[in-house]
Amino acid sequence: MPTSQRYQEYIKLMANPDAIHKLAKLEFLNDDGTVAFTIDNSYKHGYGGNGNGSRAFLQSGNLSVSLQNGKRRQATVTFENLDGAFDFSVNKLWFGQKVRLLMGVKLADGYEYYLPQGVFYIDSPSLEWKPNSRQATYTLTDKWAYLDGSLFGNLRDTYRIPNGNNLFAAIQTILRISKYSLTPTSNIMQMLDPVAPLFTDYFNARSTTANGRIYTNNLVPYDIEIEYGRTYADIILELNALIAGWIGYDSMGRLTVLPSENDITDQTKPILWDFTTASKTFLGLSETSNMGDVYNQYIVIGEALESDTAPIGIATNRDPTSDTCVGRIGLKVQTESASGYYTKEQCAALAAFKLKRTTVLKKSVTISSTQLFHLQENNLITVQRADKAGSPIERHLIQSYTLPISQTGGMSITATSVTDYPDITIEKTDFSGVLT
């Protein structure tokens, strides 16, 4: 059966939670990403999933995902470990052990349909032993932990990236550093991350002009130096800041960089689930308003490279249909500096992005639902609000969610409304930001 047909069968099944047979599985990975062995949530399978070897099986735990630059995924897993096969010790599970978490359902024909939930490193193990019970609990942290110093990634020497380097190539060079020598390697068994990253091509043909000079947006515009004692993550985040991108590991365990400019049109992103009050998947909703975090003008001050005057970009909500526009509540301003932003066009793009984010944050919802295994941060869900006049269908961008690993229990989804975006005005200014 084609994969697309399997997916449609899965979607249809998820609408009827009472018929779901939940599956969960941990794949223990070799350094090159191949699977060494597995453990699932069936006590009949045991180590390797074939009824032989260890009697361990997944018992409980949860997955947490949050939309942010850097570390996004974290999980805890608890399993029965009666024979000690999964103790944390040398020659068993040890520092640097990678695992892939998958969850899914058994389809009508018995096919086990799994969806990846992330690739993690094992962290903070604990063991609880009682008569007739030996439970092992592991915290799983996503692969960013090998870049930010929490498990690995501290710099031994000052790291330099010369002006003019391709910033995406610079990121990939970091991922190919050997964890044994801290120098670049072609040996995938030694790399910090051998999985090829997914980079946007959005910036490859884009450029801006400042002081008569053309700056190509996928090139590093100045010499970058990150001193020893900091981390590889600091370097990658500075490179990412040059394009105001979203960067983090996706559910496949692949470092992904996407442009924030596309977020201006969040309404066009894929809708992953439609919640209605008649649906068995919808268990309730709470809504909060964060008016203290709302601004209607955002000013971004960049860095001067060849001028004594720093570039400035200004974005303003003057949309009369918006309930937080300048004409309705007055001018509420937020100003911030942005290193690596060297043209007013870049500053204006970041200001528009920041302004839109503060606007949608005024309304957020937390949805309680049955378990869904295909949700992804930074994508859409809809909610039919039967509690409002006309039962409008509101679109919300997924910001975070938690999902249990066990068969029972619901999930929680936090999302922000994308139905009330204002028409944002980019103010016309000279290079220094003075309104013209």
Side-chain angles (χ1 to χ4, degrees), residues 44 47 85 103 106 109 111 138 162 236 238 245 334 341 429:
K44 296 180 180 179
Y47 164 66
M103 296 189 218
K106 187 172 289 188
D109 62 356
Y111 181 83
Y138 287 91
I236 292 174
E238 181 161 344
Q334 177 77 318
Y341 286 73
T429 66

Side-chain angles (χ1 to χ4, degrees), residues 5 14 21 69 80 93 105 121 136 163 187 205 227 266 273 293 306 318 323 346 362 366 391:
Q5 191 172 340
M14 298 309 290
H21 178 84
N69 281 336
E80 283 293 348
L93 300 186
V105 294
Y121 284 102
N163 178 0
N187 187 339
E227 296 181 351
D266 274 331
W273 197 257
D293 296 328
E306 299 179 357
R318 300 188 184 278
D323 53 11
Q346 286 179 313
K362 76 178 188 292
T366 299
S391 297

Side-chain angles (χ1 to χ4, degrees), residues 30 34 156 170 203 216 229 234 261 367 396 407 421:
N30 298 312
T34 58
R156 179 182 60 181
F203 298 96
T216 304
D234 291 328
E261 278 85 349
I367 298 170
H396 294 272
Q407 171 78 30
Y421 284 154

Side-chain angles (χ1 to χ4, degrees), residues 264-402:
I264 301 301
T265 55
D266 274 331
Q267 299 97 320
T268 64
K269 290 184 176 180
I271 297 175
L272 300 185
W273 197 257
D274 297 306
F275 288 103
T276 69
T277 52
S279 169
K280 293 182 178 181
T281 61
F282 180 72
L283 304 179
L285 175 149
S286 62
E287 186 174 43
T288 59
S289 296
N290 305 300
M291 298 307 295
D293 296 328
V294 172
Y295 300 92
N296 52 30
Q297 186 175 83
Y298 224 98
I299 301 174
V300 172
I301 304 172
E303 283 187 315
L305 291 182
E306 299 179 357
S307 169
D308 293 332
T309 303
I312 297 177
I314 304 175
T316 309
N317 176 7
R318 300 188 184 278
D319 184 352
T321 65
S322 170
D323 53 11
T324 57
C325 69
V326 173
R328 189 176 297 274
I329 69 171
L331 190 62
K332 192 176 179 189
V333 183
Q334 177 77 318
T335 302
E336 69 175 48
S337 59
S339 63
Y341 286 73
Y342 46 91
T343 71
K344 67 177 183 179
E345 290 87 358
Q346 286 179 313
C347 294
L350 181 60
F353 169 71
K354 294 279 190 176
L355 179 58
K356 191 206 71 170
R357 286 286 158 187
T358 63
T359 300
V360 299
L361 283 175
K362 76 178 188 292
K363 293 180 182 178
S364 63
V365 297
T366 299
I367 298 170
S368 297
S369 78
T370 57
Q371 296 184 33
L372 300 168
F373 311 121
H374 66 289
L375 297 188
Q376 298 285 334
E377 70 278 16
N378 211 19
N379 283 287
L380 295 175
I381 55 176
T382 68
V383 184
Q384 185 176 26
R385 296 296 300 268
D387 59 322
K388 295 183 178 181
S391 297
I393 296 175
E394 298 181 348
R395 295 188 180 204
H396 294 272
L397 189 73
I398 299 173
Q399 299 292 321
S400 63
Y401 58 89
T402 59

Side-chain angles (χ1 to χ4, degrees), residues 48-103:
N50 57 11
N52 300 320
S54 171
R55 297 182 310 177
F57 62 94
L58 278 179
Q59 193 173 50
S60 62
N62 65 77
L63 167 71
S64 298
V65 179
S66 180
L67 175 61
Q68 59 188 13
N69 281 336
K71 190 180 297 184
R72 292 185 177 178
R73 286 170 163 74
Q74 182 167 305
T76 58
V77 291
T78 298
F79 44 84
E80 283 293 348
N81 185 36
L82 288 173
D83 50 14
F86 290 89
D87 285 351
F88 189 72
S89 62
V90 176
N91 297 323
K92 292 186 179 180
L93 300 186
W94 193 233
F95 187 92
Q97 176 67 60
K98 267 189 297 193
V99 297
R100 180 186 293 118
L101 176 63
L102 303 103
M103 296 189 218

